[in-house]
Amino acid sequence: MAGLELLSDEGYRVDGRRAGELRKVRARMGVFAQADGSAYIEQGNTKVLAVVYGPHEMRGSRSKALHDRALVNCQYSMATFSTGERKRRPHGDRKSSEMTLHLKQTFEAAILTQLYPRSQIDIYVQVLQADGGNYCASVNAATLATIDAGIPMRDYVCASSAGFIEDTPLADLNYVEEAAGGPQVALALLPKSDQIALLEMNSRLHEDHLDQVIEAAIKACKDIYTVLDQVVREHVHEVTTLLGE
Amino acid sequence: MKETPLSNCERRFLLRAIEERKRLDGRQSYDYRNVRISFGADYGCCIVELGRTKVLGQVSCELVSPKLNRATEGILFFNLELSPMASPAFEPGRQSELLVKLNRLLERCLRNSKCIDTESLCVVAGVKVWQIRVDLHLLNHDGNIIDAASIAAIVALCHFRRPDVSVQGDEVTLYTPEERDPVPLSIHHMPICVSFAFFQQGTYLLVDPSEREERVMDGLLVIAMNKHREICTIQSSGGIMLLKDQVLRCSKITGVKVAEITELIQKALENDRKVRKEGGKFGFAESIPNQKISAFKMERAPVDTNDVEEQAEEIITKADPPSEVFAKPILQTPGTAQIGEGIENSWGDLEESEREEQEEDNSDDATTSGVQKMETEEISGVSKTKKEADTIILSDSEEEVVVVLEPEETRKKTRTHTSAKQENSSSKKTFNKKRKKKRTTH
Amino acid sequence: MAPPVRCCVPGERLCSLEEGAAGSGTYTRHGYVCASLAGCLLKTSEDGALPVVSVVRDAESQLLPDVGAVVTCKVCSINSRFAKVHILYIGSTPLKSTFRGTIRREDIRATEKDKVEVYKSFRPGDIVLAKVISLGDMQSNYLLSTAENELGVVVAHSEAGAQMVPISWCEMQCPRTHSKELRKVARVQPEFLQT
């Protein structure tokens, strides 16, 4: 894209952020009464809703039940109005199926599924507005919803994307930076133990720069962790003071 | 058809072997299986064999109108098919998770990394562009589909020649292969996927997992790189927790492997080009090696046999000596012999005749166990008895004589082949005798 | 009045294994007890043993029936071989969504199992106390058993519609029509009865 500088000479990106700066994160837990757990997160202009049901009895085919663990059932869908052009298929196409699989894989690693044999935990994620970092915002929203539902987890799962432009790693890419076609890394991390639950990279990146980019992504995940942690603590405080325990 | 579940002891065996850094086919942890690339008669058709995993790749092209938002770029389309031919676990029609995962990985590896110059596929901007379609079919599943598929895709793309086009003003002329030589695609670089399988929560790492290893693995990490050490795709799957230095280590290993494989690909392409230029025979018929139906050829797996003798000596000295010494065989009647006394049976009171039968049965058991222990004295002893049994008269029973249908000659021939087979036939004979005896009331 | 409640979040390190034992809502990792829920920290100190550290939430998280748990269920259909039930309570906690369970014919009574008739033990609509004997496999739901004196029908309605009174371990009588109906009655402990 000629004429569009992703990183200016002074070090500012298209939306005025610095290289390692995250977008503004606003989150709320317990938005729905019907679901066991729910959360809403806004990362810049990306808005994602997540809802968690469970653990409950296996619905559908009982043959898929695992005898010693709970089954995590995810669905990722993008609203038809979420992107610039109207999406014809909200879910079921290859990209959404891939995102669903990644979400499932991430949360199966984080949730203590051994405590609920032969049951099912449902995680539904709906993207209301997509402005880059859809997967990462979905993971963050699903983490908050799972905590709200009271399902025991090993640790938070925080996700962030990172890119690499002109020898500088960028954190938390928005849509413009993603569409430019440079290398992008999406990373889901368990912050306390520094374990990577999911690592995904697209486009060409030289091996020598891999370390830097992953470092930038890990740092961004830890920043998101502090924000989410604050949100959770406030919510727990609110709830306990309301109940007067 | 549902996949047969892996038994617990097989799983344990594989995991234990991996802990001791041993693999079923004798490879090291970071070794690839043999990669063999063969080309078809047409341009753009190839079969890649990674060990026993076989993938067929075919590239075809078509002139279409371009996408609205990308008017000057050609279209690339990738498709991987998993048919039941590869493994009975794949069912036709249903789009399974594995299929989605593999297809997306291939798409990201080949399309997003811009290995093919799509601008060069444009014929008339906004009107006509080339649509390149890569179809991959898995012919045999023996683990690590993604590596084989990525090699097949890139080799097929390198091998492919598209028809030449020339544009004069508004006229577009498409030349057939006879008029003008077809033109190869412009490929910037060759991304190759390398898979790493993790076991025991990331403690052990294997490159190029076979099908059995894939079943017991915790998770998979796929890194796609080209020979300039540029990473094209990384994908972790399966719910393993990685650490950053594990990922960096894997990327270093990938660099080495990709260099080797790229060299192999270049050599194969070069060979094919030479053969075609010289007018020699090419195509699948030539590249499939001569395989006779009666011979089952397996690739030689390198096994270290330097210290086999010492190991064998150790085992023999450490092993307990055989519990009983088998006495010389005592010929009772033509056709039966007794070796040893046999074990005391616990059936209680027995009639005289039945005890006789029990003895002979025990001797028979002793001979069978002797054969199974593979002690050479036993085999010679047994064969000795068989030699003495020239006549076919079985026993001194009052019933009619049972004639064994197998003639003498075949028995002599099969003696060296498996003496166990003889034991079965002799036990069958004594069984018949016992049955006949039981029928008569004593 | 109460000491300030300490809130904790999943993944937070609460204490080391020497100082406390892991209770509900926590897990152990690398010799430390870490929280797995977001809630308030609760330390119950037992005499002699280590204090048990647990995390409690305001709302009870979903409980799952475990093998050996006594559950309260409602019979929804019967068959000559088994009775299908909906599990409503586990112990004394109500469930948000019901689980399906099955009481097989041979698990209804402890004695004379083969002479049991399901029609004479349960009827649809009865409230039954049962014990979970198996989580079930691919084909079946939770398997329950009433083969004890304390297990069986606690509340049943007669064909006339009135709630029946138990008269023996196998009979209940309707107070309105005085007709006796056959059920496998539970001998509820006197402390659970409200007079």
Side-chain angles (χ1 to χ4, degrees), chain C residues 96-167:
Chain C
K96 274 177 273 187
S97 57
T98 61
F99 289 83
R100 317 276 325 266
T102 309
I103 307 180
R104 289 181 304 172
R105 195 181 117 204
E106 51 266 20
D107 297 327
I108 294 182
R109 275 200 345 223
T111 53
E112 288 192 329
K113 287 188 202 185
D114 46 341
K115 296 217 185 90
V116 169
E117 279 188 56
V118 183
Y119 190 63
K120 294 186 183 156
S121 318
F122 302 126
R123 293 285 172 92
D126 292 352
I127 307 288
V128 173
L129 267 178
K131 189 185 275 207
V132 180
I133 47 175
S134 161
L135 302 178
D137 57 356
M138 295 222 296
Q139 273 77 37
S140 62
N141 324 344
Y142 287 93
L143 278 182
L144 309 169
S145 152
T146 53
E148 276 174 42
N149 289 340
E150 289 81 29
L151 304 174
V153 175
V154 268
V155 173
H157 289 265
S158 70
E159 280 159 23
Q163 187 164 333
M164 293 197 288
V165 175
I167 26 180

Side-chain angles (χ1 to χ4, degrees), chain A residues 29 36 54-59 62-65 67 112 115-119 147-156 192-193 195 225 229 232-233 235-237 239-240 243-245, chain C residues 1-2 5 7-13 25-27 29 34-40 56-59 61-64 66 96-101 135-142:
Chain A
M29 291 167 65
D36 291 338
H56 56 76
E57 202 182 358
M58 287 291 299
R59 308 267 163 77
R62 237 173 292 127
S63 57
K64 280 202 231 140
H67 65 101
L112 294 173
L115 298 174
Y116 301 109
R118 298 192 54 78
S119 64
I147 295 179
D148 188 39
I151 298 178
M153 292 215 294
R154 259 191 207 102
D155 197 355
Y156 282 70
K192 280 270 153 56
S193 41
Q195 287 177 321
Y225 168 64
D229 193 31
V232 170
R233 281 185 200 271
H235 180 79
V236 170
H237 248 315
V239 172
T240 48
L243 290 177
E245 265 183 358
Chain C
M1 45 139 213
V5 279
C7 304
C8 45
V9 289
E12 194 176 318
R13 226 177 260 180
T26 59
Y27 68 98
R29 190 190 142 85
C34 307
S36 65
L37 294 178
C40 309
V56 284
R57 287 187 86 233
D58 46 324
S61 58
Q62 177 80 308
L63 216 59
L64 277 193
D66 203 8
K96 274 177 273 187
S97 57
T98 61
F99 289 83
R100 317 276 325 266
L135 302 178
D137 57 356
M138 295 222 296
Q139 273 77 37
S140 62
N141 324 344
Y142 287 93

Side-chain angles (χ1 to χ4, degrees), chain A residues 47-207:
Chain A
K47 300 179 171 50
V48 177
L49 258 179
V51 161
V52 171
Y53 286 93
H56 56 76
E57 202 182 358
M58 287 291 299
R59 308 267 163 77
S61 62
R62 237 173 292 127
S63 57
K64 280 202 231 140
L66 302 164
H67 65 101
D68 57 343
R69 285 179 289 150
L71 183 76
V72 176
N73 177 35
C74 293
Q75 198 197 52
Y76 168 92
S77 80
M78 298 181 72
T80 48
F81 46 80
S82 59
T83 48
E85 292 166 7
R86 190 169 189 276
K87 267 186 94 70
R88 249 170 297 153
R89 273 185 90 181
H91 52 254
D93 59 327
R94 270 192 195 165
K95 271 215 183 118
S96 308
S97 303
E98 193 197 16
M99 291 279 208
T100 309
L101 281 178
H102 289 164
L103 274 175
K104 183 175 144 94
Q105 170 197 330
T106 316
F107 280 95
E108 265 178 0
I111 296 180
L112 294 173
T113 46
Q114 266 85 7
L115 298 174
Y116 301 109
R118 298 192 54 78
S119 64
Q120 182 179 334
I121 299 176
D122 295 321
I123 302 181
Y124 300 114
V125 174
Q126 176 88 285
V127 176
L128 300 174
Q129 193 171 314
D131 185 38
N134 303 336
Y135 169 74
C136 308
S138 315
V139 168
N140 297 330
T143 302
L144 290 178
T146 317
I147 295 179
D148 188 39
I151 298 178
M153 292 215 294
R154 259 191 207 102
D155 197 355
Y156 282 70
V157 186
C158 303
S160 170
S161 55
F164 196 73
I165 302 268
E166 292 168 20
D167 292 338
T168 338
L170 305 175
D172 199 9
L173 308 172
N174 59 19
Y175 180 72
V176 175
E177 290 159 350
E178 275 184 7
Q184 316 154 16
V185 168
L187 188 105
L189 184 80
L190 270 67
K192 280 270 153 56
S193 41
D194 268 351
Q195 287 177 321
I196 301 175
L198 185 121
L199 175 60
E200 196 184 30
M201 207 213 84
N202 288 327
S203 203
R204 271 186 298 168
L205 174 72
H206 198 270
E207 194 193 334

Side-chain angles (χ1 to χ4, degrees), chain B residues 419-436:
Chain B
S419 1
K421 186 163 157 223
Q422 290 174 71
E423 292 316 283
N424 289 341
S425 56
S426 75
S427 63
K428 203 176 8 162
K429 280 191 279 184
T430 51
F431 180 63
N432 286 337
K433 187 173 65 155
K434 209 165 54 156
R435 247 195 307 147
K436 288 202 178 353

